[in-house]
Amino acid sequence: MPKKKSDSSVKTAPPPSGARLTEDTPAPSRKDMLREMLLIRRFEERCAEAYALGKIGGFCHLYIGQEAVGVGAISALRDDDYVIASYRDHGQALARGVPPRAIMAELFGRADGCSKGKGGSMHLFDRNVNFLGGHGIVGGHIPLATGVAFAIKYRGGDQVCLCFFGEAAVNGGAFHEALNMAALWKLPVVYLIENNRYGMGTALERASAINDIAERACSYDMPNEVVDGQDVFAVRDAVRRAAHRARAEHTPTLVEVRTYRFMGHSMSDAVSGTYRTKEELEEHMKRDPITVLRSDMEQHGEWSDQDMAALDDEIKGIVEDAWNFADASPEPALESLTEDVYANGEF
Amino acid sequence: MPVITYRDALNQALREEMQRDDRVFIMGEEVGVYQGAYKVSKGLLQEFGEMRVVDTPITELGFAGVGVGAAMVGLRPIIEFMTWNFALLALDQVVNSAAKMLYMSGGQYNIPIVFRGPNGAALQLSAQHSQAWESWLAHIPGLKVVAPGTPYDAKGLLKSAVRDENPVIVLEGEMLYNTKGEVPTEEYLIPLGKAALKHEGDHCSIITHGKMILVALQAAEQLAKDGIRVDVLDLLSIRPMDVEAIATTVRKTNRAVVLEEGWEVAGIGAQVVDYIQRECFDDLDAPVIRVHQMDVPMPYAKNLERAAKPDLPKTIAAVKKVMYLEQ
């Protein structure tokens, strides 16, 4: 079968990575952005499959529908900037350049995972690309981002910390405490709300006293912006502005990116039902970020069905390689159970 | 040897470590301009400036998290909680962020941070300001917990805590800050995880930590007048705990009283007793007795507060009971 053939050829090649777009990428092409988003989409689809097969356990929160947010935002950063995310972190990790193999191995709970099989879906970490983790307590990592930005300023650096969290996190104390200090101390941080409309099954309107949540920034006299999260270039541009403000003026920004979650909150939750209708979901799926970009490219005569098929084959090969790598990776050695509880091998 | 207060010993430790390593900074409520709620950070703002002596809003959850984030990328924060009672608001950062980061990142991000401040009861501060949190904190793998009761131990342990690559909890005592003791002028460190035998005797062991060491030593003196000779073991570190030192003293005396400031249920004493029964079952001549706070929130009224707290008479009575000298 042709599929088999492409598998083995992928295996002999160096491990494929998701492309890595940065601030320094001279005006990333539409194709670059499409490729990044498609990688996340196909990766997440295989995650759903792996979850159903029991290869991935625990909680698994997929990024499908929100790809333009992670790709657009992270493409606006430099290599030496920092990224920190919530538990819905596969997409940001891929966009930041954490190798797909290492992510899939982590999800499979294997020794070659980016967190050695200790973290799982919600706790992807990769020091090589300054990916400071997925974090599992809603809003709990927002103060960490403020702290990273504090350290940048303390050292006199000009990096930026980009912090992703969902709109439900803005109702918690950690968000307000973190933003207040960042504004008070003028720290180089970009807080990015991925407003996917639902905190698990509770709609924004049922959880927040104001619906334009970017306005929360006004309490801290902080610049803020609302962006269409299904338009990858719009997200990139907004985060570029915010990152520049952080670097040049040490001013934090709150960016509200309006997007939509096409899947359930996690793999164990219903896609629709009591909290949102199938009709609503279908309406939002018409603005699939990948379709939005692809249509635009087609209208400009830059893209054809053949191009899409070729790109899709390439991406599927990368994801297949990641799956095979994860499947072949050993379970963590039992001795590792007590490793890394304390630094320097103390236990 | 100079005699200085517990407060000044801590202050010396902070100053020396900040002079030694410019990645070390202190952050918390009133640490700078006000010179410290209990004056532990006195003079540091003037010496090190406001980037390294950082006054925060009253936002324990927030600034504890700021510390952890800064530690992730190479700084070595000392986070001061005005008291550990307020740190309850920050437990998510202490437990879910600081303690677990190294493990859940597969060894990539250690968190070299110190969380410190006064723990336990002072005088008539009532229920919300008079709590000993060590059993909560010591419960968590990934944290180290120390509780110095003397100026000498406070300085040596705090300096070790700052140099450790892991999150370290330093439990001080509001009633200890004015106490005095000998502290050498030359530099020294006290290793984390080692207990110290502070009084020697062969009839009974009193095992304790934190400010209760002062009560235990008073008890030792009084009991000596009745011809009762006690070992007093100061745990110093609650996690990791020096099990060998516990076993050594109990094997010597065959009797033990475990004294702590906190509540009984799931307290530190319960853990000590577990180690004793595991290591010294055949050495015991009597059941181990625990002395602790009464199982009530701390009351305000003087007489009730006195009745609730572990103290000298209760400790002496416990020793006599474990020696079958009193009912």
Side-chain angles (χ1 to χ4, degrees):
Chain A
M1 286 163 67
K3 192 161 180 269
K4 267 269 190 263
K5 201 176 166 188
S6 99
D7 283 352
S8 59
S9 70
V10 163
K11 268 189 173 171
T12 53
S17 66
R20 172 90 181 272
L21 301 174
T22 70
E23 185 199 57
D24 305 322
T25 310
S29 67
R30 288 186 172 88
K31 185 184 171 184
D32 292 335
M33 294 293 218
L34 186 66
R35 186 179 185 285
E36 287 276 290
M37 291 197 289
L38 196 61
L39 173 65
I40 296 172
R41 176 67 55 90
R42 296 293 177 243
F43 190 94
E44 295 290 65
E45 287 168 353
R46 294 304 302 274
C47 285
E49 188 185 331
Y51 195 87
L53 291 171
K55 287 180 180 293
I56 298 176
F59 291 134
C60 183
H61 310 85
L62 300 182
Y63 205 56
I64 292 173
Q66 301 177 217
E67 292 90 343
V69 186
V71 170
I74 290 171
S75 78
L77 298 185
R78 292 193 326 218
D79 278 346
D80 61 344
D81 290 332
Y82 297 96
V83 177
I84 190 165
S86 74
Y87 47 82
R88 194 180 304 284
D89 59 349
H90 306 178
Q92 296 92 335
L94 285 165
R96 186 58 178 168
V98 183
R101 281 182 167 189
I103 299 174
M104 196 65 91
E106 187 61 33
L107 300 177
F108 281 28
R110 302 303 171 91
D112 296 305
C114 58
S115 304
K116 291 189 189 165
K118 297 271 191 70
S121 167
M122 297 187 282
H123 306 300
L124 305 174
F125 287 81
D126 190 347
R127 190 179 259 285
N128 294 324
V129 294
N130 283 348
F131 191 74
L132 300 171
H135 296 266
I137 308 297
V138 171
H141 65 294
I142 306 175
L144 302 186
T146 305
V148 172
F150 176 86
I152 293 168
K153 187 169 183 181
Y154 187 97
R155 290 192 297 244
D158 70 340
Q159 298 125 294
V160 167
C161 182
L162 171 61
C163 178
F164 290 88
F165 51 92
E167 87 290 339
V170 308
N171 301 312
F175 167 83
H176 296 278
E177 298 183 23
L179 264 69
N180 180 52
M181 282 184 279
L184 180 69
W185 296 335
K186 296 202 164 298
L187 301 180
V189 55
V190 179
Y191 301 104
L192 190 152
I193 305 167
E194 297 202 56
N195 179 0
N196 67 14
R197 302 268 301 106
Y198 293 91
M200 196 169 165
T202 301
L204 168 66
E205 297 78 13
R206 299 180 56 235
S208 175
I210 58 172
N211 296 336
D212 290 319
I213 52 179
E215 290 179 7
R216 303 265 189 167
C218 301
S219 306
Y220 310 108
D221 196 22
M222 186 184 291
N224 61 90
E225 190 168 344
V226 179
V227 191
D228 175 5
Q230 308 310 89
D231 179 343
V232 68
F233 282 96
V235 176
R236 173 180 161 92
D237 290 345
V239 175
R240 273 171 74 94
R241 284 188 288 275
H244 175 77
R245 196 177 292 125
R247 268 189 241 292
E249 304 164 29
H250 271 179
T251 300
T253 301
L254 180 66
V255 182
E256 179 192 344
V257 182
R258 293 189 175 168
T259 182
Y260 199 81
R261 192 185 73 211
F262 292 179
M263 306 290 283
H265 167 67
S266 80
M267 278 304 296
S268 39
D269 301 307
V271 175
S272 62
T274 58
Y275 70 97
R276 67 179 183 187
T277 62
K278 195 158 169 279
E279 291 70 33
E280 179 190 308
L281 176 64
E282 285 168 357
E283 190 59 32
H284 279 278
M285 287 175 84
K286 290 178 186 163
R287 290 206 74 236
D288 181 322
I290 293 175
T291 311
V292 166
L293 180 58
R294 180 184 172 181
S295 303
D296 188 50
M297 291 164 74
E298 285 171 353
Q299 278 165 22
H300 286 79
E302 294 172 13
W303 200 247
S304 67
D305 288 350
Q306 291 92 321
D307 292 330
M308 192 66 193
L311 181 64
D312 211 15
D313 278 350
E314 182 207 334
I315 296 294
K316 283 177 174 166
I318 292 172
V319 178
E320 182 69 16
D321 170 80
W323 177 298
N324 291 335
F325 175 83
D327 227 10
S329 174
E331 289 182 322
L334 274 180
E335 302 83 74
S336 77
L337 178 65
T338 56
E339 288 169 5
D340 298 325
V341 180
Y342 294 96
N344 302 329
E346 294 175 43
F347 183 68
Chain B
M1 203 183 292
V3 172
I4 64 172
T5 62
Y6 187 99
R7 168 186 292 111
D8 288 342
L10 290 168
N11 182 269
Q12 285 183 6
L14 294 172
R15 176 173 280 110
E16 288 172 18
E17 292 308 300
M18 290 178 74
Q19 285 168 346
R20 186 185 59 82
D21 184 344
D22 62 15
R23 297 169 301 171
V24 177
F25 69 96
I26 181 166
M27 172 177 276
E29 295 154 7
E30 311 290 5
V31 297
V33 172
Y34 194 82
Q35 304 283 295
Y38 295 102
K39 309 299 175 203
V40 171
S41 56
K42 189 175 180 184
L44 299 182
L45 175 66
Q46 287 67 26
E47 181 169 350
F48 299 103
E50 62 184 13
M51 202 68 217
R52 296 185 66 195
V53 183
V54 186
D55 281 324
T56 65
I58 301 173
T59 165
E60 284 80 9
L61 172 67
F63 67 75
V66 168
V68 177
M72 284 186 88
V73 295
L75 300 187
R76 303 183 75 89
I78 300 168
I79 301 298
E80 175 173 311
F81 293 122
M82 193 180 289
T83 92
W84 276 94
N85 296 290
F86 310 156
L88 200 56
L89 289 160
L91 270 192
D92 179 49
Q93 294 302 342
V94 175
V95 175
N96 277 317
S97 296
K100 295 171 183 168
M101 199 74 75
L102 182 68
Y103 197 78
M104 68 185 186
S105 69
Q108 295 179 83
Y109 289 99
N110 66 307
I111 307 295
I113 194 169
V114 172
F115 296 107
R116 49 158 289 272
N119 176 58
L123 287 175
Q124 285 196 280
L125 299 181
S126 71
Q128 294 181 336
H129 281 67
S130 311
Q131 302 168 94
W133 290 117
E134 49 266 50
S135 68
W136 286 52
L137 297 157
H139 193 59
I140 310 299
L143 298 181
K144 295 183 179 182
V145 182
V146 301
T150 67
Y152 176 85
D153 295 328
K155 182 173 180 183
L157 286 170
L158 178 54
K159 283 171 71 84
S160 292
V162 173
R163 296 184 194 192
D164 203 88
E165 296 299 329
N166 299 287
V168 183
I169 309 292
V170 181
L171 301 171
E172 301 163 7
E174 192 179 331
M175 303 300 287
L176 290 173
Y177 288 130
N178 281 334
T179 59
K180 289 184 176 174
E182 289 187 332
V183 174
T185 43
E186 63 272 18
E187 176 161 85
Y188 66 98
L189 297 168
I190 297 176
L192 308 183
K194 291 288 175 200
L197 193 63
K198 297 266 175 90
H199 191 277
E200 292 201 43
D202 54 358
H203 290 157
C204 176
S205 302
I206 302 177
I207 300 166
T208 190
H209 64 270
K211 79 172 70 127
M212 286 297 118
I213 184 65
L214 305 183
V215 174
L217 290 172
Q218 285 171 27
E221 279 184 27
Q222 288 220 5
L223 287 162
K225 291 173 190 163
D226 295 334
I228 300 168
R229 303 186 296 268
V230 297
D231 252 9
V232 175
L233 184 71
D234 187 345
L235 292 171
L236 295 179
S237 290
I238 296 164
R239 180 191 266 270
M241 198 179 279
D242 191 346
V243 180
E244 191 51 47
I246 295 170
T248 301
T249 182
V250 174
R251 284 180 193 137
K252 178 170 115 184
T253 65
N254 311 112
R255 298 170 199 272
V257 167
V258 185
L259 167 63
E260 67 184 309
E261 203 183 346
W263 290 297
E264 176 181 20
V265 178
I268 298 301
Q271 187 61 41
V272 174
V273 170
D274 177 58
Y275 287 134
I276 292 173
Q277 65 85 19
R278 270 193 268 173
E279 300 289 327
C280 312
F281 188 77
D282 292 328
D283 299 289
L284 287 174
D285 285 344
V288 179
I289 294 182
R290 293 176 58 196
V291 181
H292 44 74
Q293 189 191 318
M294 289 278 291
D295 201 16
V296 296
M298 190 64 83
Y300 168 73
K302 272 186 187 170
N303 66 323
L304 295 180
E305 185 186 44
R306 202 177 302 121
K309 284 176 170 176
D311 61 6
L312 183 60
K314 288 174 187 171
T315 305
I316 288 173
V319 171
K320 290 185 173 172
K321 188 171 179 191
V322 89
M323 294 185 66
Y324 299 124
L325 296 171
E326 266 180 23
Q327 286 306 309

